[in-house]
Amino acid sequence: MTLSKPTPVGSDPENPWYSMLRCLRCHAALRLLHGELACQACASTYPIDDEIPRFVPQESYAEGFGYQWNRHRLTQLDSYSGMPISRDRVMNASGWTAEELRGKTVLECGSGAGRFTEVLCETGAIVTSFDISSAVHANAASNSRFSNLRLLQASIYDLPLPEESFDYLICFGVIQHTPDVERTFKTLFRYVRPGGRFCIDVYAAPIAYLHPRHLLRPVTKRIPPARLYGIVQKIAPKLLPLSMMLTAIPRVGAYLARLVPVANHRHLNLPNKKAMRDWSVLDTFDWFAPRYERPQTRRRLQRWTKEVGLSKVSIERHRGLYVISGIK
Ligand SMILES: C[S@@+](CC[C@H](N)C(=O)[O-])C[C@H]1O[C@@H](n2cnc3c(N)ncnc32)[C@H](O)[C@@H]1O
């Protein structure tokens, strides 16, 4: 066997993590051969781009996400903002602690620029993290310092990973942006071991549909990402002060601000104006660019969890999200 560069992020030649990867076609083990992953049984090969094994075509419906996360690689990272915003979101939503995660295997699905990857890696968990888009390169640029990170570019619908093998699964901000939310939701549980824990969030319907962005999305989601980003980058900083002024009005302010099509993170108390502007541009783009955005009702989520056979599950409302967590 020829071991040639590049080797996948986080891999130790003595104990290569990619030996856990499976061929998408025949499920046999893969091995590193001439800088690619090659199936030991059939002729399939999988490229390694900048040290990240790739199991999807370079282009997909999530191209806008790749663009946004590479433009905003650092914006939402706690190590960059200096605030524990991502850490609090993971720990508060899931109820997990850093102590319990240490040494456990965690599967992070749809990791974007890796704001939650960083939090999970810091606990000492063994984190397998993937995204369908080129966002994985932003994640690697920020988080490849963690030797406990295994990073790949892959889709939830076709994962090169062994089923029922992870102690923990986390998936934030993703499932509403996939073409078949029910299939996405149900597929995730296949990778959690019996007795393992999961935490998934999704935009809450019907409230999320009442947002005025849905009037513009049929047009904006068709605009190429770089062009749309240019528009958002010009307009969002102009609208943000008006939105901030409205949110400051007691009682009705938050409702009034919804009429201004710009993301406003007043509640996060970000450290300075630049951070507020960057988060606003990022999240305004994130409203208008995705090909799919399908919020879900509590009733539908309850039905799906029953159909998957989950009994220890809770569905909690946090701001505009439902958080589904429990034990498989
Ligand atoms: C709104 S972003 C959330 C990223 C990250 N979890 C966060 O909260 O910062 C949604 C992410 O889901 C990814 N995604 C969409 N469909 C996917 C799929 N089928 N498999 C894996 N990732 C997917 C997108 O590429 C994008 O990075």
Side-chain angles (χ1 to χ4, degrees):
M1 185 176 88
T2 311
L3 270 184
S4 48
K5 293 241 164 201
T7 49
V9 168
S11 63
D12 164 4
E14 296 298 309
N15 180 23
W17 67 264
Y18 48 84
S19 59
M20 79 192 272
L21 296 172
R22 293 286 171 269
C23 176
L24 295 180
R25 195 175 297 157
C26 72
H27 306 291
L30 303 177
R31 65 182 172 144
L32 194 57
L33 189 63
H34 307 305
E36 288 187 321
L37 289 172
C39 177
Q40 314 229 22
C42 73
S44 303
T45 57
Y46 303 91
I48 298 174
D49 299 338
D50 289 336
E51 304 183 25
I52 303 172
R54 178 162 58 79
F55 295 86
V56 281
Q58 260 159 340
E59 295 299 313
S60 74
Y61 63 85
E63 182 198 354
F65 283 116
Y67 185 87
Q68 105 182 24
W69 294 126
N70 281 289
R71 288 291 304 230
H72 286 268
R73 173 168 83 77
L74 298 171
T75 304
Q76 297 187 327
L77 260 61
D78 287 356
S79 57
Y80 180 73
S81 69
M83 299 175 71
I85 298 171
S86 302
R87 185 188 165 85
D88 289 351
R89 179 145 159 222
V90 172
M91 299 308 179
N92 294 342
S94 66
W96 305 336
T97 63
E99 291 67 38
E100 73 176 273
L101 288 169
R102 187 167 308 128
K104 298 291 192 322
T105 55
V106 179
L107 180 60
E108 186 197 11
C109 312
S111 46
R115 62 184 292 197
F116 303 120
T117 313
E118 176 177 64
V119 172
L120 295 164
C121 285
E122 275 170 351
T123 67
I126 301 152
V127 181
T128 302
S129 201
F130 69 91
D131 197 286
I132 194 174
S133 74
S134 61
V136 289
H137 296 285
N139 193 340
S142 299
N143 289 320
S144 57
R145 68 184 187 279
F146 292 108
S147 59
N148 49 335
L149 173 61
R150 303 156 169 198
L151 197 54
L152 51 143
Q153 188 172 354
S155 169
I156 292 166
Y157 295 132
D158 204 5
L159 283 177
L161 298 169
E163 296 193 1
E164 305 221 309
S165 60
F166 289 89
D167 299 320
Y168 288 78
L169 177 141
I170 185 165
C171 184
F172 281 180
V174 178
I175 70 171
Q176 64 270 2
H177 295 306
T178 59
D180 181 343
V181 185
E182 175 174 358
R183 184 173 155 224
T184 309
F185 184 78
K186 291 180 173 173
T187 302
L188 291 174
F189 297 99
R190 299 217 309 251
Y191 296 91
V192 184
R193 69 162 171 76
R197 290 173 186 269
F198 55 84
C199 187
I200 300 165
D201 73 14
V202 61
Y203 289 172
I207 184 79
Y209 276 122
L210 298 176
H211 197 279
R213 69 175 179 271
H214 290 288
L215 297 173
L216 299 170
R217 275 188 37 78
V219 175
T220 59
K221 70 182 183 183
R222 291 187 166 78
I223 302 176
R227 189 142 159 245
L228 179 63
Y229 187 83
I231 298 170
V232 170
Q233 201 180 21
K234 270 198 199 119
I235 294 179
K238 294 200 170 79
L239 293 178
L240 186 58
L242 171 64
S243 172
M244 294 293 242
M245 232 168 58
L246 292 173
T247 32
I249 301 172
R251 285 193 296 276
V252 291
Y255 299 100
L256 290 176
R258 285 170 72 97
L259 299 173
V260 186
V262 66
N264 163 349
H265 299 85
R266 197 168 190 271
H267 63 286
L268 293 179
N269 293 317
L270 291 165
N272 54 51
K273 282 202 171 135
K274 177 180 173 352
M276 274 162 23
R277 227 179 19 244
D278 288 350
W279 281 66
S280 176
V281 169
L282 166 59
D283 272 349
T284 305
F285 180 84
D286 185 288
W287 283 355
F288 289 116
R291 171 99 50 97
Y292 306 104
E293 189 188 308
R294 297 184 173 133
Q296 300 299 320
T297 60
R298 182 190 288 272
R299 183 175 295 202
R300 207 174 297 143
L301 293 165
Q302 278 167 338
R303 176 161 57 77
W304 293 347
T305 54
K306 271 204 194 107
E307 287 168 1
V308 173
L310 302 168
S311 51
K312 294 179 190 152
V313 58
S314 91
I315 303 179
E316 302 268 347
R317 181 77 183 267
H318 284 264
R319 298 182 68 87
L321 301 170
Y322 283 123
V323 177
I324 307 100
S325 60
I327 304 178
K328 179 170 167 185

